């Protein structure tokens, strides 16, 4: 089964603003190891970090089909998506264990962040 594990962060200074270089290196090393472990287990599909909401755009089609582009849809949001993984695991419990592992990502001073992650099964198109 495929699952999306989504990392949401509070609106405000984006991601690691104010973190020491050592803290950033520790966090990046942790995430690289998480991804390497997924790849070694054959469970990695894709993982990406996203730019801040100030760079997001909302797009819809005009009457002639051309794009209408405005600033991102985050004005009222208190949180935004900072990154995600698509993983392929046996069942939801495996996805939950993975999310719990990522939740322990080190933050400032190496202290685990205990951040919440959203876990959602990837849906199948109707046949």
């Amino acid at each position: 089964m495929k699952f999306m594990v989504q990392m949401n962060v509070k609106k405000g200074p984006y991601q690691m603003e104010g973190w020491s270089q050592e803290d950033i290196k520790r966090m990046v090393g942790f995430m690289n190891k998480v991804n390497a472990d997924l790849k070694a287990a054959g469970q990695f599909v894709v993982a990406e970090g996203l730019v801040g909401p100030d760079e997001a755009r909302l797009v819809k089609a005009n009457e002639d089909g051309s794009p209408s582009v405005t600033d991102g849809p985050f004005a009222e949001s208190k949180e935004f998506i900072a990154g995600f993984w698509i993983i392929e695991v046996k069942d939801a419990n495996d996805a939950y264990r993975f999310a719990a592992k990522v939740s322990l990502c080190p933050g400032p001073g190496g202290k685990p962040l205990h951040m919440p992650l959203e876990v959602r099964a990837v849906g199948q198109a109707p046949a």
Side-chain angles (χ1 to χ4, degrees), residues 11 51-57 71-81:
K11 192 171 183 177
V51 298
D54 58 322
E55 296 183 50
R57 300 295 177 260
D71 287 345
F74 299 104
E76 301 300 319
S77 296
K78 293 180 182 175
E79 293 185 336
F80 61 92
I81 303 168

PDB file of all heavy atoms in Angstrom, residues 11 51-57 71-81:
ATOM      1  N   LYS A  11       2.685  28.414  10.597  1.00  0.00           N
ATOM      2  CA  LYS A  11       2.968  29.606   9.808  1.00  0.00           C
ATOM      3  C   LYS A  11       3.862  30.536  10.622  1.00  0.00           C
ATOM      4  O   LYS A  11       3.711  30.655  11.824  1.00  0.00           O
ATOM      5  CB  LYS A  11       1.664  30.297   9.442  1.00  0.00           C
ATOM      6  CG  LYS A  11       1.820  31.376   8.403  1.00  0.00           C
ATOM      7  CD  LYS A  11       0.472  31.863   7.945  1.00  0.00           C
ATOM      8  CE  LYS A  11       0.658  32.896   6.856  1.00  0.00           C
ATOM      9  NZ  LYS A  11      -0.619  33.342   6.339  1.00  0.00           N
ATOM     10  N   VAL A  51       9.018  24.721  -0.903  1.00  0.00           N
ATOM     11  CA  VAL A  51       9.356  26.107  -0.597  1.00  0.00           C
ATOM     12  C   VAL A  51       8.269  26.686   0.294  1.00  0.00           C
ATOM     13  O   VAL A  51       7.183  26.116   0.436  1.00  0.00           O
ATOM     14  CB  VAL A  51       9.523  26.954  -1.880  1.00  0.00           C
ATOM     15  CG1 VAL A  51      10.660  26.410  -2.729  1.00  0.00           C
ATOM     16  CG2 VAL A  51       8.232  27.041  -2.667  1.00  0.00           C
ATOM     17  N   GLY A  52       8.540  27.833   0.876  1.00  0.00           N
ATOM     18  CA  GLY A  52       7.589  28.477   1.779  1.00  0.00           C
ATOM     19  C   GLY A  52       6.325  28.948   1.069  1.00  0.00           C
ATOM     20  O   GLY A  52       6.293  29.101  -0.153  1.00  0.00           O
ATOM     21  N   PRO A  53       5.273  29.191   1.853  1.00  0.00           N
ATOM     22  CA  PRO A  53       3.992  29.574   1.271  1.00  0.00           C
ATOM     23  C   PRO A  53       4.032  30.910   0.539  1.00  0.00           C
ATOM     24  O   PRO A  53       3.197  31.162  -0.326  1.00  0.00           O
ATOM     25  CB  PRO A  53       3.044  29.625   2.468  1.00  0.00           C
ATOM     26  CG  PRO A  53       3.918  29.743   3.656  1.00  0.00           C
ATOM     27  CD  PRO A  53       5.208  29.090   3.305  1.00  0.00           C
ATOM     28  N   ASP A  54       5.017  31.755   0.836  1.00  0.00           N
ATOM     29  CA  ASP A  54       5.116  33.026   0.126  1.00  0.00           C
ATOM     30  C   ASP A  54       5.453  32.830  -1.344  1.00  0.00           C
ATOM     31  O   ASP A  54       5.242  33.724  -2.160  1.00  0.00           O
ATOM     32  CB  ASP A  54       6.143  33.941   0.795  1.00  0.00           C
ATOM     33  CG  ASP A  54       7.524  33.320   0.885  1.00  0.00           C
ATOM     34  OD1 ASP A  54       7.622  32.100   1.137  1.00  0.00           O
ATOM     35  OD2 ASP A  54       8.513  34.053   0.722  1.00  0.00           O
ATOM     36  N   GLU A  55       5.943  31.636  -1.704  1.00  0.00           N
ATOM     37  CA  GLU A  55       6.262  31.337  -3.098  1.00  0.00           C
ATOM     38  C   GLU A  55       5.191  30.496  -3.781  1.00  0.00           C
ATOM     39  O   GLU A  55       5.302  30.200  -4.964  1.00  0.00           O
ATOM     40  CB  GLU A  55       7.609  30.623  -3.181  1.00  0.00           C
ATOM     41  CG  GLU A  55       8.770  31.486  -2.718  1.00  0.00           C
ATOM     42  CD  GLU A  55      10.099  30.781  -2.870  1.00  0.00           C
ATOM     43  OE1 GLU A  55      10.366  30.246  -3.963  1.00  0.00           O
ATOM     44  OE2 GLU A  55      10.863  30.748  -1.882  1.00  0.00           O
ATOM     45  N   ALA A  56       4.150  30.111  -3.050  1.00  0.00           N
ATOM     46  CA  ALA A  56       3.071  29.314  -3.632  1.00  0.00           C
ATOM     47  C   ALA A  56       2.149  30.204  -4.454  1.00  0.00           C
ATOM     48  O   ALA A  56       2.001  31.395  -4.166  1.00  0.00           O
ATOM     49  CB  ALA A  56       2.276  28.612  -2.535  1.00  0.00           C
ATOM     50  N   ARG A  57       1.545  29.642  -5.462  1.00  0.00           N
ATOM     51  CA  ARG A  57       0.602  30.363  -6.307  1.00  0.00           C
ATOM     52  C   ARG A  57      -0.664  29.542  -6.469  1.00  0.00           C
ATOM     53  O   ARG A  57      -0.629  28.313  -6.499  1.00  0.00           O
ATOM     54  CB  ARG A  57       1.199  30.645  -7.696  1.00  0.00           C
ATOM     55  CG  ARG A  57       2.471  31.488  -7.658  1.00  0.00           C
ATOM     56  CD  ARG A  57       2.201  32.891  -7.133  1.00  0.00           C
ATOM     57  NE  ARG A  57       3.400  33.680  -7.019  1.00  0.00           N
ATOM     58  CZ  ARG A  57       4.070  33.882  -5.875  1.00  0.00           C
ATOM     59  NH1 ARG A  57       3.667  33.334  -4.753  1.00  0.00           N
ATOM     60  NH2 ARG A  57       5.145  34.636  -5.853  1.00  0.00           N
ATOM     61  N   ASP A  71      -1.430  35.058  -5.782  1.00  0.00           N
ATOM     62  CA  ASP A  71      -0.634  34.613  -4.633  1.00  0.00           C
ATOM     63  C   ASP A  71      -1.268  33.381  -4.007  1.00  0.00           C
ATOM     64  O   ASP A  71      -2.473  33.146  -4.135  1.00  0.00           O
ATOM     65  CB  ASP A  71      -0.520  35.717  -3.591  1.00  0.00           C
ATOM     66  CG  ASP A  71       0.417  36.829  -4.039  1.00  0.00           C
ATOM     67  OD1 ASP A  71       1.182  36.610  -4.991  1.00  0.00           O
ATOM     68  OD2 ASP A  71       0.371  37.907  -3.428  1.00  0.00           O
ATOM     69  N   GLY A  72      -0.438  32.639  -3.277  1.00  0.00           N
ATOM     70  CA  GLY A  72      -0.867  31.373  -2.685  1.00  0.00           C
ATOM     71  C   GLY A  72      -2.103  31.459  -1.815  1.00  0.00           C
ATOM     72  O   GLY A  72      -2.469  32.534  -1.350  1.00  0.00           O
ATOM     73  N   PRO A  73      -2.725  30.320  -1.576  1.00  0.00           N
ATOM     74  CA  PRO A  73      -3.991  30.254  -0.838  1.00  0.00           C
ATOM     75  C   PRO A  73      -3.814  30.177   0.673  1.00  0.00           C
ATOM     76  O   PRO A  73      -4.659  29.652   1.360  1.00  0.00           O
ATOM     77  CB  PRO A  73      -4.597  28.952  -1.373  1.00  0.00           C
ATOM     78  CG  PRO A  73      -3.400  28.091  -1.632  1.00  0.00           C
ATOM     79  CD  PRO A  73      -2.343  29.049  -2.142  1.00  0.00           C
ATOM     80  N   PHE A  74      -2.734  30.724   1.196  1.00  0.00           N
ATOM     81  CA  PHE A  74      -2.402  30.478   2.589  1.00  0.00           C
ATOM     82  C   PHE A  74      -2.713  31.623   3.538  1.00  0.00           C
ATOM     83  O   PHE A  74      -2.307  31.604   4.682  1.00  0.00           O
ATOM     84  CB  PHE A  74      -0.916  30.122   2.722  1.00  0.00           C
ATOM     85  CG  PHE A  74      -0.545  28.891   1.961  1.00  0.00           C
ATOM     86  CD1 PHE A  74       0.142  28.977   0.769  1.00  0.00           C
ATOM     87  CD2 PHE A  74      -0.910  27.648   2.429  1.00  0.00           C
ATOM     88  CE1 PHE A  74       0.481  27.842   0.064  1.00  0.00           C
ATOM     89  CE2 PHE A  74      -0.585  26.507   1.729  1.00  0.00           C
ATOM     90  CZ  PHE A  74       0.114  26.608   0.545  1.00  0.00           C
ATOM     91  N   ALA A  75      -3.432  32.645   3.091  1.00  0.00           N
ATOM     92  CA  ALA A  75      -3.649  33.819   3.943  1.00  0.00           C
ATOM     93  C   ALA A  75      -4.283  33.472   5.286  1.00  0.00           C
ATOM     94  O   ALA A  75      -3.910  34.014   6.318  1.00  0.00           O
ATOM     95  CB  ALA A  75      -4.520  34.834   3.210  1.00  0.00           C
ATOM     96  N   GLU A  76      -5.233  32.558   5.301  1.00  0.00           N
ATOM     97  CA  GLU A  76      -5.936  32.207   6.528  1.00  0.00           C
ATOM     98  C   GLU A  76      -5.347  30.979   7.229  1.00  0.00           C
ATOM     99  O   GLU A  76      -5.769  30.619   8.309  1.00  0.00           O
ATOM    100  CB  GLU A  76      -7.417  31.957   6.227  1.00  0.00           C
ATOM    101  CG  GLU A  76      -8.123  33.158   5.612  1.00  0.00           C
ATOM    102  CD  GLU A  76      -8.089  34.385   6.511  1.00  0.00           C
ATOM    103  OE1 GLU A  76      -8.268  34.246   7.742  1.00  0.00           O
ATOM    104  OE2 GLU A  76      -7.868  35.489   5.977  1.00  0.00           O
ATOM    105  N   SER A  77      -4.405  30.310   6.589  1.00  0.00           N
ATOM    106  CA  SER A  77      -3.854  29.071   7.142  1.00  0.00           C
ATOM    107  C   SER A  77      -2.945  29.350   8.327  1.00  0.00           C
ATOM    108  O   SER A  77      -2.191  30.325   8.330  1.00  0.00           O
ATOM    109  CB  SER A  77      -3.050  28.320   6.077  1.00  0.00           C
ATOM    110  OG  SER A  77      -3.890  27.927   5.032  1.00  0.00           O
ATOM    111  N   LYS A  78      -3.031  28.481   9.321  1.00  0.00           N
ATOM    112  CA  LYS A  78      -2.128  28.575  10.467  1.00  0.00           C
ATOM    113  C   LYS A  78      -0.929  27.654  10.286  1.00  0.00           C
ATOM    114  O   LYS A  78       0.075  27.797  10.943  1.00  0.00           O
ATOM    115  CB  LYS A  78      -2.877  28.229  11.752  1.00  0.00           C
ATOM    116  CG  LYS A  78      -3.931  29.248  12.093  1.00  0.00           C
ATOM    117  CD  LYS A  78      -4.651  28.896  13.357  1.00  0.00           C
ATOM    118  CE  LYS A  78      -5.730  29.943  13.614  1.00  0.00           C
ATOM    119  NZ  LYS A  78      -6.556  29.628  14.732  1.00  0.00           N
ATOM    120  N   GLU A  79      -1.067  26.672   9.398  1.00  0.00           N
ATOM    121  CA  GLU A  79       0.005  25.734   9.087  1.00  0.00           C
ATOM    122  C   GLU A  79       0.100  25.573   7.577  1.00  0.00           C
ATOM    123  O   GLU A  79      -0.832  25.908   6.852  1.00  0.00           O
ATOM    124  CB  GLU A  79      -0.279  24.364   9.707  1.00  0.00           C
ATOM    125  CG  GLU A  79      -0.247  24.354  11.210  1.00  0.00           C
ATOM    126  CD  GLU A  79      -0.419  22.954  11.763  1.00  0.00           C
ATOM    127  OE1 GLU A  79      -0.989  22.086  11.082  1.00  0.00           O
ATOM    128  OE2 GLU A  79       0.016  22.730  12.898  1.00  0.00           O
ATOM    129  N   PHE A  80       1.229  25.055   7.127  1.00  0.00           N
ATOM    130  CA  PHE A  80       1.386  24.754   5.710  1.00  0.00           C
ATOM    131  C   PHE A  80       2.255  23.520   5.555  1.00  0.00           C
ATOM    132  O   PHE A  80       2.939  23.099   6.486  1.00  0.00           O
ATOM    133  CB  PHE A  80       1.966  25.952   4.944  1.00  0.00           C
ATOM    134  CG  PHE A  80       3.339  26.370   5.418  1.00  0.00           C
ATOM    135  CD1 PHE A  80       4.475  25.856   4.841  1.00  0.00           C
ATOM    136  CD2 PHE A  80       3.474  27.286   6.455  1.00  0.00           C
ATOM    137  CE1 PHE A  80       5.727  26.237   5.277  1.00  0.00           C
ATOM    138  CE2 PHE A  80       4.727  27.684   6.896  1.00  0.00           C
ATOM    139  CZ  PHE A  80       5.854  27.156   6.303  1.00  0.00           C
ATOM    140  N   ILE A  81       2.212  22.929   4.370  1.00  0.00           N
ATOM    141  CA  ILE A  81       2.975  21.713   4.085  1.00  0.00           C
ATOM    142  C   ILE A  81       4.429  22.096   3.834  1.00  0.00           C
ATOM    143  O   ILE A  81       4.727  22.881   2.948  1.00  0.00           O
ATOM    144  CB  ILE A  81       2.418  20.983   2.854  1.00  0.00           C
ATOM    145  CG1 ILE A  81       0.937  20.659   3.044  1.00  0.00           C
ATOM    146  CG2 ILE A  81       3.223  19.711   2.575  1.00  0.00           C
ATOM    147  CD1 ILE A  81       0.246  20.196   1.769  1.00  0.00           C
TER     148      ILE A  81
END
